[in-house]
Amino acid sequence: MPPAHVFPRPDMAYGAPRKGLGQHFLTDRNILGAIADAAEVGSSDTVIEVGPGRGSLTTVLAERARRVIAVELDGALARTLAASVPPNVEVVEADARVLDPGSLLGGCASYKMLGNLPYYAAMPILRRFLESDCRPERAAVLVQREVAEQMCAKPGAMSLVSLAVQLYGSARVGRIVRPGSFTPPPKVTSAVVGIVVHGGLAEGVDDAERFFALARAGFSAPRKQLRNALSGGLGVQPGAAERLLAAAGIEASRRAQTLSMGEWASLYRAWRSAEG
């Protein structure tokens, strides 16, 4: 058993969950363990936890990791949690959508990122960490099931959400989490997603901003064939878009959602080469 002081005390004045912040507190210890397992949290790790809330996941991480930095937007929750955590946990009141991970670490260093992310902010938070100059080596997040499936999608169901994650790492859906595992129960089912983060961008991509300019053009008309979607999205003639696809070895009649991450990288290289 962990020390008693690790667990939030039942008499702590947390107050009611705030709907405006999407607060649904996870209480199932098996699921909490599954989140930590998905990032392979071990005794030498530094962990940045986003949205610790009342500290349930923080408790599990404190038992497993060397250092935990818990980032909480709700000031009242942050102050209450800070009064109860063990010595290897630091609570920081901040908005994870805008913070610099390196500033939390005292300079960029190896870390893992975990969290039960509020549904309204899940992708902005995750992108903030993945797009940072100081990326985690692994991440494990609990998000709405539909978002989890988009993050881990295969060709045929790809989207900008898929590319936003798979440009930076390999993602896999883990445990499915029913509403009854939360207080209060949300109206949707959730899922754990584990991400092994690349050392850099996906092979062949050298500029994330330019890559997404191309991807947005491709997905600007997802029901159209790529030759037409790229023509409109990039502002070029259909013949130029077709030649671009041919240079990447991609059939012009395909649609954006059918391309793999590797094919998007090939298309990006062909586009950058055509730009000169």
Side-chain angles (χ1 to χ4, degrees):
M1 286 288 291
H5 71 271
V6 173
F7 293 96
R9 299 191 308 270
D11 60 339
M12 295 176 109
Y14 280 110
R18 294 171 60 182
K19 292 183 178 180
L21 295 181
Q23 291 178 343
H24 297 278
F25 302 119
L26 185 62
T27 55
D28 186 324
R29 193 166 173 85
N30 290 327
I31 303 299
L32 296 167
I35 298 173
D37 289 343
E40 298 186 359
V41 175
S43 59
S44 63
D45 288 332
T46 293
V47 171
I48 296 178
E49 181 195 1
V50 175
R54 295 174 176 174
S56 297
L57 180 57
T58 314
T59 296
V60 174
L61 297 175
E63 296 168 3
R64 298 191 185 195
R66 179 180 64 84
R67 180 188 182 197
V68 179
I69 304 170
V71 181
E72 176 55 59
L73 177 61
D74 186 325
L77 278 177
R79 290 187 292 274
T80 304
L81 183 61
S84 70
V85 294
N88 66 332
V89 178
E90 174 189 357
V91 180
V92 176
E93 182 183 342
D95 186 341
R97 294 170 293 184
V98 297
L99 62 76
D100 170 21
S103 68
L104 295 177
L105 299 165
C108 191
S110 176
Y111 73 99
K112 295 177 178 179
M113 178 268 195
L114 295 93
N116 171 20
L117 303 185
Y119 295 146
Y120 73 94
M123 283 308 300
I125 290 171
L126 189 56
R127 287 191 64 179
R128 180 65 179 179
F129 280 83
L130 293 179
E131 295 175 358
S132 167
D133 290 334
C134 186
R135 300 184 190 110
E137 60 181 78
R138 285 180 180 267
V141 294
L142 185 62
V143 296
Q144 187 174 341
R145 183 176 184 175
E146 287 76 13
V147 174
E149 290 170 347
Q150 289 181 56
M151 289 165 59
C152 304
K154 303 296 183 185
M158 296 289 282
S159 66
L160 287 173
V161 170
S162 314
L163 295 178
V165 174
Q166 295 176 30
L167 179 63
Y168 297 97
S170 303
R172 184 177 69 85
V173 176
R175 291 284 293 271
I176 303 302
V177 186
R178 305 299 175 188
S181 295
F182 298 86
T183 301
K187 295 180 179 179
V188 298
T189 298
S190 304
V192 178
V193 176
I195 306 169
V196 179
V197 182
H198 304 315
L201 301 177
E203 185 176 357
V205 179
D206 59 3
D207 185 320
E209 187 174 344
R210 295 296 290 157
F211 174 82
F212 281 111
L214 174 66
R216 283 192 294 271
F219 279 101
S220 61
R223 294 187 178 182
K224 291 185 177 180
Q225 295 180 352
L226 264 173
R227 64 158 70 85
N228 298 320
L230 288 173
S231 173
L234 295 176
V236 299
Q237 292 297 316
E242 192 160 344
R243 287 191 294 274
L244 180 64
L245 289 160
I250 298 169
E251 289 287 339
S253 61
R254 290 178 62 183
R255 289 169 172 76
Q257 60 269 29
T258 70
L259 269 62
S260 67
M261 181 65 238
E263 288 176 313
W264 276 108
S266 295
L267 182 58
Y268 170 80
R269 290 193 298 272
W271 180 51
R272 294 287 275 175
S273 178
E275 285 184 322

